[in-house]
Amino acid sequence: MSIRSYEASKEKGWRERLAEARSALGNVPRAFGLLWEAAPGGTIGITTVTVLDAAYPAAQAWAGKMILDGVVDSIKLHREPMAGVRAVAPYLLLEFALVVSKDVGGRVRQLMRELIDLRLGYLVTGRIVRKALTLDMRWFEDPKFYDKLQNARRQSEYRAMAVVDNGFYALQNALSLISFLAILLLFNPWVALALCAAGVPAFIVQTRYSGMTFRLQTWRAPETRELNYIEQLLTMDDAVKEVKLFELGEPLLKAHAETFQKAYDEDAALARKRTFYGVLWGTASILAYYGAWIWVIRLTVAGALTLGGMTFYLSLFGQSQGSFQGLLDNVARLFENGLFLKNLFDFLGLEPKVIAGVTGPRPAADPKRGIEFENVWFKYPNGETWILEDFSLKIRPGEKLALVGENGAGKTTLIKLLTRLYEPERGRVLLHGVDLRHYSSEELHRRIGAIFQDFVRYQRTLRENVGFGAIEKAADLEAVKFAATRGGADEIARALEHGYETRLGRWFDDGRDLSGGQWQKVALGRAFMRDAVILVLDEPTSALDAQAEFELFARLRRLAEGRTAVYISHRFSTVRQADRILFLEHGRLVEEGTHDALMRLGGRYARLFTLQASAYTGEPVDLTA
């Protein structure tokens, strides 16, 4: 959004502004709740130092007045120099004690703030990550979700600590101001009113532009993600080969610069306006301060005030105006930071869309029934096309089922529904006769061992890479070895210097990278870590050659004895080993049967199988048949 179009949309009525202010400031107590959770002792400590700091200015001003009046009296009375020093010594000692204690308190406050900042940042980051872990796949395939995540992560740690700082400084300013105003109101209420009122316009300007800054940066989340994405492309190992080979560095940097320049221009225009009006009303505040100076000088010359009294009130004028402006400034910053914390708390308020949705008692499981899809309809968020339409399927317990079809046919979608990463729009999926919505996510996932085409290559040890398949057994080396052997990764461990404790990947100095086929064997071992009743393999062997894949699936048939196995592969020479093959097209089951039965049928499966086979035999295929 350009700054011009943003300017046109920013106008709000006073009710909307009031609601926005209430919402922003309402986040302040929540931020202090996070502070208390992160560091209760530090919270008490900073509060104590803040209260003490609030008392110093008035006390120091009074001590300075007494010292100056004592010196003037000693001059008038012609006292001996040391007698004059002794006369003001108590006030000098008081001033010394105040200065020392203020200095010590400031250093202690800074120490506590630094420690709190670390703990608070860790807490906020943990909350964001933990919330993300509770959300289902539907969120992660929605671009708007990433905007929310971007806004929550961006500056959230800084803003949370800034709210804490602004809150404590606002408290300190308020307490100091109370002590100043109590004295100034007795001196001259109009002077006190003028000094305070002069800071109000600058406060209004700041809050107005704080709201504009928040809305602009919130709406800019997609552009910010674009910048981060380009930076990742240019610096991560999984993209560097193509970036160098296709000479993409400079074009991507140019796109990065253009996106940055657009954001910079918008920010700069807003900053210039904010600065202009800040200077304008800041000058008015300074004029009010010097007007009060003239008033006090006039009274002193007229003999209504002593020299010490004049110094005392001039000090109070500066301190009171500074405290009032500091109070308003910190309240304005509380407002601004509270607006940005709304992004954090809104994100933390997201709820998973896959939840237990079946009422009534859970029926008893029937092991004789396997997996059932009943009249399932499904399309992806924001999608217009049905991926599955009135789809029904029964998979027998212990059956080895292969799913084939062109890309977009719905094969992976079936796996996502089976693992309840998504829920059907209509219809239901059952396991052992029980609707999946009766199972908790943890209970269902423990029954399933899975490996996907885009499996994760953890930059951790080989033991952890395999053990993550059943995290509760990841420290059990014998269990890890057994699973690795079943997946074919045991031979990898024997070739590594530190065996299963060797770090994999290239991100760290002691890491050892593997070939694509080796990584897939590690991922297969991870799938075998679970004592699962269902094995799901979604294109897991794309990095293996045809012979290695054939041998792997032959071994999988032996290892998966007594378990239901569902696997997807584009190599028809491999899926021919399945008990049953399903050919999907546009979310519909168009052919099913054994390999031999489908070949005799002479339909889509037979045609594609023959086409693939010709690539190995070199025999021509009539594609029009």
Side-chain angles (χ1 to χ4, degrees), residues 84-131:
V85 171
R86 286 193 296 271
V88 298
Y91 305 110
L92 285 171
L93 290 174
L94 174 61
E95 174 83 5
F96 174 78
L98 289 172
V99 171
V100 171
S101 60
K102 184 176 182 180
D103 180 70
V104 172
R107 296 178 188 278
V108 171
R109 179 177 189 156
Q110 182 61 28
L111 171 63
M112 290 188 293
R113 187 203 176 282
E114 290 175 3
L115 297 178
I116 288 174
D117 191 15
L118 295 173
R119 297 186 66 87
L120 186 60
Y122 178 78
L123 176 68
V124 170
T125 300
R127 284 288 184 86
I128 293 174
V129 173
R130 192 172 297 277
K131 169 54 67 172

Side-chain angles (χ1 to χ4, degrees), residues 228-254 256:
N228 293 339
Y229 174 65
I230 294 175
E231 291 167 11
Q232 186 176 14
L233 279 180
L234 294 172
T235 57
M236 298 300 288
D237 59 343
D238 57 353
V240 67
K241 294 190 293 295
E242 284 202 10
V243 168
K244 288 183 175 297
L245 180 62
F246 299 132
E247 299 180 352
L248 302 178
E250 288 303 321
L252 286 173
L253 278 175
K254 181 180 179 182
H256 186 278

Side-chain angles (χ1 to χ4, degrees), residues 146-157:
Y146 288 99
D147 290 342
K148 293 178 183 291
L149 178 60
Q150 173 70 31
N151 285 329
R153 295 180 63 181
R154 182 180 56 192
Q155 302 179 339
S156 59
E157 298 175 24

